[in-house]
Amino acid sequence: MSGLTEQPTEQLSAQGPTRGDELSGMYGPENKADVVIIGAGPAGLSAATELRRCGVQSVVVLDREPVAGGIPRHCDHYPYGLREFSRLLRGPAYARRLVVAALAAGVRIHTGVSIQSLTIGPVLTVTSDAGVRVVHARRVLIATGARETSRAARFIGGTKPGGVVSTGALQGLVHLEGINPFRAPVVLGTELVSFSALLTCRHLGIRPVAMIEPGASTTAFWPARWLPRILGIPLLLKTELLTIEGESTVSGVTIRRPNGDIERLNADGVIVSGHFRPESAILARSHIELDRHTGGPVVDQFGRCSDPDFFAAGNLLRPVETAGWSWQEGKAVGHAIAQSLQGKLPSPATGIAVELAGRSLKYVVPQRIVPTDVPPALDSFQFRVSHKAQGRLCLSINGTRKTVKSLSTVPERRIRVPLTVLPRSPSGTATFELVESDR
């Protein structure tokens, strides 16, 4: 990879990824491929590159966006690339390198393609400017990522003026279209992506009026809270955004402070950041089982879905991890798909269910484990908690309960437990529960 050079997006588009209106024959004369990957972000592209490295002949990546590379191409700031390329990169440069690597490996990438349905086979119905096509594959990897929760889904009152955007939309406007949507917005949320929004604002000289967080501390790790202080932006903790005001554009917001006082802030925009959810709409219309906790598909330790011809990786599995994490996960699942094509994965029929008890744990991934000696793609259970908590993480299986580890954590902190915590040949149901300490 060190020999690859960065290239402008326009040049890559001309020589690499193909738009949907140029698809004729690109899957082959019968619209077939060994593996079709949905999503040209870090997880999808690393999986595609790994599949080609493993000798899989026909690997096709589809994406509805006009340019491949995923969310990082919107994020014109550091840090990207240390894990993947041993270089500190900005998001767009990182995205271009992922695309270059996939193309160099022989992956075919088609943009401007939307997936209409996934059915047993596996068979995909896709649409593009060329019309409707049916594509047959031996395996399908779904890597559609996650999206931020909208204002409407958060039940924020007031009028509905223009100028209310997610971080992703803001970054698209600023970095892809060169549009400055406002001068003095407020930022709702303190996840990592919220601080990315501050950096995006700084890029065009936008000065947020305040950063608003309903919780008692920032969701991102504590060093992040220094960024608004450095930029001179008030960080309002224990503060609730009640209403958004304005007619054609935002003119202000009302907030409730920790003491209950209602205040009005003059602002010309609102950045509604974070609260990610898997982009799983296509799965909701399919035969593939969804997990009620994550909102993504139920998978085993190989990223294999309830239909074993379908796999999933990246932030579709659980919101939300970094681009580097998704890249690594995609690579591992890509390797598992190659093993599946060679008949090296165990039958999914022997899997046991992994469940949660109580309300403290928000989700667990993977949700099914197949006893086997084949190394897993997902080598640990991943958890999040629903609220700030401390106590003992316990595992119950076949009537036996044991403490796995002690925890003191807050929401959006990554919690990992190696799969080896399970017995060598588990059966029945494995149930995790966080038993909280008395406060």
Side-chain angles (χ1 to χ4, degrees):
M1 296 305 302
S2 58
L4 295 173
T5 56
E6 295 176 19
Q7 303 176 53
T9 302
E10 294 75 14
Q11 186 177 350
L12 275 175
S13 298
Q15 70 182 36
T18 307
R19 282 195 54 79
D21 54 4
E22 301 169 0
L23 285 179
S24 180
M26 291 302 291
Y27 305 114
E30 299 178 343
N31 280 351
K32 292 183 178 178
D34 288 324
V35 180
V36 172
I37 296 172
I38 306 170
L45 292 174
S46 67
T49 304
E50 177 67 11
L51 280 159
R52 288 290 297 139
R53 190 193 69 79
C54 291
V56 178
Q57 288 298 309
S58 175
V59 181
V60 174
V61 178
L62 306 178
D63 199 290
R64 67 185 177 188
E65 294 294 319
V67 178
I71 293 300
R73 68 191 180 88
H74 298 198
C75 306
D76 193 14
H77 57 71
Y78 301 107
Y80 290 90
L82 284 176
R83 186 200 313 247
E84 303 88 333
F85 303 113
S86 300
R87 287 189 60 182
L88 190 59
L89 298 168
R90 291 178 178 271
Y94 170 75
R96 286 195 294 270
R97 277 189 162 241
L98 294 179
V99 175
V100 168
L103 294 173
V107 174
R108 288 177 290 169
I109 303 173
H110 303 301
T111 58
V113 180
S114 296
I115 311 302
Q116 298 304 311
S117 68
L118 304 173
T119 52
I120 295 171
V123 178
L124 303 86
T125 302
V126 307
T127 59
S128 68
D129 291 349
V132 180
R133 291 181 180 276
V134 175
V135 181
H136 299 262
R138 298 172 66 194
R139 300 289 185 272
V140 173
L141 171 64
I142 310 163
T144 45
R147 57 185 168 87
E148 294 168 274
T149 299
S150 67
R151 169 199 174 172
R154 299 189 196 200
F155 302 108
I156 300 172
T159 57
K160 297 181 179 179
V164 182
V165 299
S166 66
T167 308
L170 171 70
Q171 291 169 333
L173 290 171
V174 171
H175 295 306
L176 300 183
E177 301 181 34
I179 296 173
N180 187 338
F182 31 56
R183 300 300 305 174
V186 296
V187 179
L188 175 61
T190 56
E191 297 180 34
L192 273 178
V193 70
S194 315
F195 296 92
S196 178
L198 294 184
L199 295 173
T200 301
C201 288
R202 186 170 180 266
H203 179 77
L204 282 186
I206 300 169
R207 185 177 180 80
V209 173
M211 193 171 197
I212 299 171
E213 167 56 49
S217 62
T218 57
T219 304
F221 284 107
W222 68 266
R225 71 171 56 182
W226 287 98
L227 181 59
R229 178 174 295 185
I230 292 169
L231 298 177
I233 300 167
L235 173 59
L236 308 181
L237 300 176
K238 297 182 180 179
T239 299
E240 184 181 0
L241 177 60
L242 298 177
T243 63
I244 298 173
E245 302 172 356
E247 296 182 0
S248 60
T249 60
V250 174
S251 59
V253 300
T254 57
I255 59 175
R256 179 186 287 120
R257 300 303 302 272
N259 60 5
D261 289 350
I262 306 298
E263 297 179 12
R264 185 182 185 281
L265 299 178
N266 290 322
D268 63 359
V270 179
I271 303 169
V272 182
S273 69
H275 285 211
F276 283 93
R277 296 187 294 176
E279 184 62 270
S280 58
I282 186 63
L283 291 173
R285 305 195 301 269
S286 77
H287 62 294
I288 297 171
E289 182 183 1
L290 287 175
D291 178 52
R292 64 186 177 90
H293 297 291
T294 64
V298 171
V299 296
D300 65 13
Q301 70 265 43
F302 302 106
R304 190 167 48 177
C305 300
S306 56
D307 179 339
D309 288 333
F310 290 83
F311 289 71
N315 282 324
L316 176 66
L317 294 182
R318 98 278 62 191
V320 59
E321 286 287 357
T322 63
W325 179 283
S326 297
W327 175 89
Q328 181 170 288
E329 196 168 74
K331 181 179 179 181
V333 173
H335 187 80
I337 295 172
Q339 290 181 300
S340 169
L341 291 170
Q342 298 166 6
K344 294 182 178 179
L345 293 191
S347 167
T350 57
I352 68 166
V354 181
E355 297 183 349
L356 301 177
R359 296 184 177 182
S360 300
L361 293 175
K362 188 176 178 181
Y363 64 73
V364 59
V365 174
Q367 302 91 349
R368 188 161 44 86
I369 297 297
V370 180
T372 180
D373 291 328
V374 178
L378 311 176
D379 62 0
S380 62
F381 292 108
Q382 304 166 39
F383 301 91
R384 291 285 194 280
V385 293
S386 58
H387 56 266
K388 183 178 181 180
Q390 61 181 19
R392 296 177 294 116
L393 180 62
C394 297
L395 169 63
S396 299
I397 185 167
N398 294 333
T400 302
R401 185 177 191 176
K402 67 177 181 180
T403 297
V404 174
K405 65 189 300 184
S406 296
L407 289 177
S408 179
T409 188
V410 296
E412 304 309 323
R413 296 286 194 274
R414 181 188 303 146
I415 302 167
R416 299 178 65 188
V417 172
L419 299 187
T420 51
V421 70
L422 293 181
R424 186 173 178 80
S425 297
S427 59
T429 300
T431 303
F432 286 98
E433 181 178 11
L434 177 56
V435 180
E436 295 195 55
S437 306
D438 293 334
R439 300 179 180 177

mmCIF file with all atom_site columns, all heavy atoms in Angstrom, residues 96 104 144 170 285 294 339 347 354 369 377-378:
data_model
loop_
_atom_site.group_PDB
_atom_site.id
_atom_site.type_symbol
_atom_site.label_atom_id
_atom_site.label_alt_id
_atom_site.label_comp_id
_atom_site.label_asym_id
_atom_site.label_entity_id
_atom_site.label_seq_id
_atom_site.pdbx_PDB_ins_code
_atom_site.Cartn_x
_atom_site.Cartn_y
_atom_site.Cartn_z
_atom_site.occupancy
_atom_site.B_iso_or_equiv
_atom_site.pdbx_formal_charge
_atom_site.auth_seq_id
_atom_site.auth_comp_id
_atom_site.auth_asym_id
_atom_site.auth_atom_id
_atom_site.pdbx_PDB_model_num
ATOM 1  N N   . ARG A 1 96  ? -10.051 8.252   -0.407 1.00 0.00 ? 96  ARG A N   1
ATOM 2  C CA  . ARG A 1 96  ? -9.466  8.002   -1.727 1.00 0.00 ? 96  ARG A CA  1
ATOM 3  C C   . ARG A 1 96  ? -8.506  6.823   -1.686 1.00 0.00 ? 96  ARG A C   1
ATOM 4  O O   . ARG A 1 96  ? -8.460  6.005   -2.604 1.00 0.00 ? 96  ARG A O   1
ATOM 5  C CB  . ARG A 1 96  ? -8.757  9.262   -2.231 1.00 0.00 ? 96  ARG A CB  1
ATOM 6  C CG  . ARG A 1 96  ? -9.701  10.362  -2.686 1.00 0.00 ? 96  ARG A CG  1
ATOM 7  C CD  . ARG A 1 96  ? -8.973  11.422  -3.496 1.00 0.00 ? 96  ARG A CD  1
ATOM 8  N NE  . ARG A 1 96  ? -8.002  12.162  -2.700 1.00 0.00 ? 96  ARG A NE  1
ATOM 9  C CZ  . ARG A 1 96  ? -8.292  13.275  -2.022 1.00 0.00 ? 96  ARG A CZ  1
ATOM 10 N NH1 . ARG A 1 96  ? -9.527  13.757  -2.047 1.00 0.00 ? 96  ARG A NH1 1
ATOM 11 N NH2 . ARG A 1 96  ? -7.366  13.908  -1.340 1.00 0.00 ? 96  ARG A NH2 1
ATOM 12 N N   . ALA A 1 104 ? -7.042  -1.330  -7.121 1.00 0.00 ? 104 ALA A N   1
ATOM 13 C CA  . ALA A 1 104 ? -5.771  -1.995  -7.427 1.00 0.00 ? 104 ALA A CA  1
ATOM 14 C C   . ALA A 1 104 ? -5.867  -3.498  -7.200 1.00 0.00 ? 104 ALA A C   1
ATOM 15 O O   . ALA A 1 104 ? -5.169  -4.288  -7.862 1.00 0.00 ? 104 ALA A O   1
ATOM 16 C CB  . ALA A 1 104 ? -4.657  -1.394  -6.568 1.00 0.00 ? 104 ALA A CB  1
ATOM 17 N N   . THR A 1 144 ? -23.835 -0.980  5.092  1.00 0.00 ? 144 THR A N   1
ATOM 18 C CA  . THR A 1 144 ? -24.482 0.301   4.794  1.00 0.00 ? 144 THR A CA  1
ATOM 19 C C   . THR A 1 144 ? -24.300 1.344   5.889  1.00 0.00 ? 144 THR A C   1
ATOM 20 O O   . THR A 1 144 ? -24.820 2.462   5.762  1.00 0.00 ? 144 THR A O   1
ATOM 21 C CB  . THR A 1 144 ? -25.988 0.083   4.538  1.00 0.00 ? 144 THR A CB  1
ATOM 22 O OG1 . THR A 1 144 ? -26.515 -0.786  5.545  1.00 0.00 ? 144 THR A OG1 1
ATOM 23 C CG2 . THR A 1 144 ? -26.216 -0.561  3.184  1.00 0.00 ? 144 THR A CG2 1
ATOM 24 N N   . LEU A 1 170 ? -24.184 18.587  7.268  1.00 0.00 ? 170 LEU A N   1
ATOM 25 C CA  . LEU A 1 170 ? -23.320 19.768  7.356  1.00 0.00 ? 170 LEU A CA  1
ATOM 26 C C   . LEU A 1 170 ? -22.004 19.524  6.624  1.00 0.00 ? 170 LEU A C   1
ATOM 27 O O   . LEU A 1 170 ? -21.544 20.366  5.832  1.00 0.00 ? 170 LEU A O   1
ATOM 28 C CB  . LEU A 1 170 ? -23.046 20.101  8.826  1.00 0.00 ? 170 LEU A CB  1
ATOM 29 C CG  . LEU A 1 170 ? -21.989 21.179  9.072  1.00 0.00 ? 170 LEU A CG  1
ATOM 30 C CD1 . LEU A 1 170 ? -22.514 22.538  8.628  1.00 0.00 ? 170 LEU A CD1 1
ATOM 31 C CD2 . LEU A 1 170 ? -21.569 21.201  10.538 1.00 0.00 ? 170 LEU A CD2 1
ATOM 32 N N   . ARG A 1 285 ? -37.133 -4.715  5.059  1.00 0.00 ? 285 ARG A N   1
ATOM 33 C CA  . ARG A 1 285 ? -38.042 -5.206  4.022  1.00 0.00 ? 285 ARG A CA  1
ATOM 34 C C   . ARG A 1 285 ? -37.614 -6.581  3.509  1.00 0.00 ? 285 ARG A C   1
ATOM 35 O O   . ARG A 1 285 ? -38.145 -7.050  2.503  1.00 0.00 ? 285 ARG A O   1
ATOM 36 C CB  . ARG A 1 285 ? -38.077 -4.218  2.844  1.00 0.00 ? 285 ARG A CB  1
ATOM 37 C CG  . ARG A 1 285 ? -38.436 -2.799  3.220  1.00 0.00 ? 285 ARG A CG  1
ATOM 38 C CD  . ARG A 1 285 ? -38.806 -1.985  1.982  1.00 0.00 ? 285 ARG A CD  1
ATOM 39 N NE  . ARG A 1 285 ? -37.724 -1.935  1.003  1.00 0.00 ? 285 ARG A NE  1
ATOM 40 C CZ  . ARG A 1 285 ? -36.779 -0.999  0.965  1.00 0.00 ? 285 ARG A CZ  1
ATOM 41 N NH1 . ARG A 1 285 ? -36.775 -0.058  1.891  1.00 0.00 ? 285 ARG A NH1 1
ATOM 42 N NH2 . ARG A 1 285 ? -35.849 -1.007  0.048  1.00 0.00 ? 285 ARG A NH2 1
ATOM 43 N N   . THR A 1 294 ? -29.858 -3.580  18.704 1.00 0.00 ? 294 THR A N   1
ATOM 44 C CA  . THR A 1 294 ? -28.962 -2.763  17.880 1.00 0.00 ? 294 THR A CA  1
ATOM 45 C C   . THR A 1 294 ? -29.697 -2.065  16.747 1.00 0.00 ? 294 THR A C   1
ATOM 46 O O   . THR A 1 294 ? -29.268 -1.000  16.289 1.00 0.00 ? 294 THR A O   1
ATOM 47 C CB  . THR A 1 294 ? -27.855 -3.630  17.259 1.00 0.00 ? 294 THR A CB  1
ATOM 48 O OG1 . THR A 1 294 ? -28.450 -4.577  16.359 1.00 0.00 ? 294 THR A OG1 1
ATOM 49 C CG2 . THR A 1 294 ? -27.047 -4.367  18.327 1.00 0.00 ? 294 THR A CG2 1
ATOM 50 N N   . GLN A 1 339 ? -13.746 -17.746 3.270  1.00 0.00 ? 339 GLN A N   1
ATOM 51 C CA  . GLN A 1 339 ? -13.771 -19.097 3.848  1.00 0.00 ? 339 GLN A CA  1
ATOM 52 C C   . GLN A 1 339 ? -15.107 -19.775 3.586  1.00 0.00 ? 339 GLN A C   1
ATOM 53 O O   . GLN A 1 339 ? -15.170 -20.982 3.325  1.00 0.00 ? 339 GLN A O   1
ATOM 54 C CB  . GLN A 1 339 ? -13.516 -19.016 5.353  1.00 0.00 ? 339 GLN A CB  1
ATOM 55 C CG  . GLN A 1 339 ? -12.097 -18.635 5.729  1.00 0.00 ? 339 GLN A CG  1
ATOM 56 C CD  . GLN A 1 339 ? -11.924 -18.603 7.233  1.00 0.00 ? 339 GLN A CD  1
ATOM 57 O OE1 . GLN A 1 339 ? -12.605 -17.845 7.931  1.00 0.00 ? 339 GLN A OE1 1
ATOM 58 N NE2 . GLN A 1 339 ? -11.043 -19.440 7.736  1.00 0.00 ? 339 GLN A NE2 1
ATOM 59 N N   . SER A 1 347 ? -21.515 -25.161 10.032 1.00 0.00 ? 347 SER A N   1
ATOM 60 C CA  . SER A 1 347 ? -22.934 -24.963 9.786  1.00 0.00 ? 347 SER A CA  1
ATOM 61 C C   . SER A 1 347 ? -23.517 -23.995 10.815 1.00 0.00 ? 347 SER A C   1
ATOM 62 O O   . SER A 1 347 ? -23.220 -24.102 12.006 1.00 0.00 ? 347 SER A O   1
ATOM 63 C CB  . SER A 1 347 ? -23.669 -26.300 9.873  1.00 0.00 ? 347 SER A CB  1
ATOM 64 O OG  . SER A 1 347 ? -25.066 -26.091 9.934  1.00 0.00 ? 347 SER A OG  1
ATOM 65 N N   . VAL A 1 354 ? -27.319 -15.496 22.031 1.00 0.00 ? 354 VAL A N   1
ATOM 66 C CA  . VAL A 1 354 ? -26.729 -14.645 23.061 1.00 0.00 ? 354 VAL A CA  1
ATOM 67 C C   . VAL A 1 354 ? -27.736 -13.549 23.362 1.00 0.00 ? 354 VAL A C   1
ATOM 68 O O   . VAL A 1 354 ? -28.120 -12.791 22.468 1.00 0.00 ? 354 VAL A O   1
ATOM 69 C CB  . VAL A 1 354 ? -25.397 -14.030 22.588 1.00 0.00 ? 354 VAL A CB  1
ATOM 70 C CG1 . VAL A 1 354 ? -24.789 -13.161 23.686 1.00 0.00 ? 354 VAL A CG1 1
ATOM 71 C CG2 . VAL A 1 354 ? -24.423 -15.118 22.159 1.00 0.00 ? 354 VAL A CG2 1
ATOM 72 N N   . ILE A 1 369 ? -23.598 -17.615 18.500 1.00 0.00 ? 369 ILE A N   1
ATOM 73 C CA  . ILE A 1 369 ? -22.248 -18.201 18.470 1.00 0.00 ? 369 ILE A CA  1
ATOM 74 C C   . ILE A 1 369 ? -22.358 -19.656 18.012 1.00 0.00 ? 369 ILE A C   1
ATOM 75 O O   . ILE A 1 369 ? -23.182 -20.417 18.520 1.00 0.00 ? 369 ILE A O   1
ATOM 76 C CB  . ILE A 1 369 ? -21.578 -18.149 19.857 1.00 0.00 ? 369 ILE A CB  1
ATOM 77 C CG1 . ILE A 1 369 ? -21.396 -16.695 20.303 1.00 0.00 ? 369 ILE A CG1 1
ATOM 78 C CG2 . ILE A 1 369 ? -20.225 -18.873 19.823 1.00 0.00 ? 369 ILE A CG2 1
ATOM 79 C CD1 . ILE A 1 369 ? -20.466 -15.873 19.422 1.00 0.00 ? 369 ILE A CD1 1
ATOM 80 N N   . ALA A 1 377 ? -14.316 -13.950 12.961 1.00 0.00 ? 377 ALA A N   1
ATOM 81 C CA  . ALA A 1 377 ? -14.080 -12.604 12.424 1.00 0.00 ? 377 ALA A CA  1
ATOM 82 C C   . ALA A 1 377 ? -14.292 -11.560 13.521 1.00 0.00 ? 377 ALA A C   1
ATOM 83 O O   . ALA A 1 377 ? -13.560 -10.577 13.609 1.00 0.00 ? 377 ALA A O   1
ATOM 84 C CB  . ALA A 1 377 ? -15.022 -12.336 11.248 1.00 0.00 ? 377 ALA A CB  1
ATOM 85 N N   . LEU A 1 378 ? -15.323 -11.769 14.330 1.00 0.00 ? 378 LEU A N   1
ATOM 86 C CA  . LEU A 1 378 ? -15.594 -10.905 15.487 1.00 0.00 ? 378 LEU A CA  1
ATOM 87 C C   . LEU A 1 378 ? -15.102 -11.672 16.706 1.00 0.00 ? 378 LEU A C   1
ATOM 88 O O   . LEU A 1 378 ? -15.771 -12.587 17.173 1.00 0.00 ? 378 LEU A O   1
ATOM 89 C CB  . LEU A 1 378 ? -17.090 -10.602 15.590 1.00 0.00 ? 378 LEU A CB  1
ATOM 90 C CG  . LEU A 1 378 ? -17.770 -10.117 14.300 1.00 0.00 ? 378 LEU A CG  1
ATOM 91 C CD1 . LEU A 1 378 ? -19.275 -9.950  14.514 1.00 0.00 ? 378 LEU A CD1 1
ATOM 92 C CD2 . LEU A 1 378 ? -17.145 -8.821  13.822 1.00 0.00 ? 378 LEU A CD2 1
#
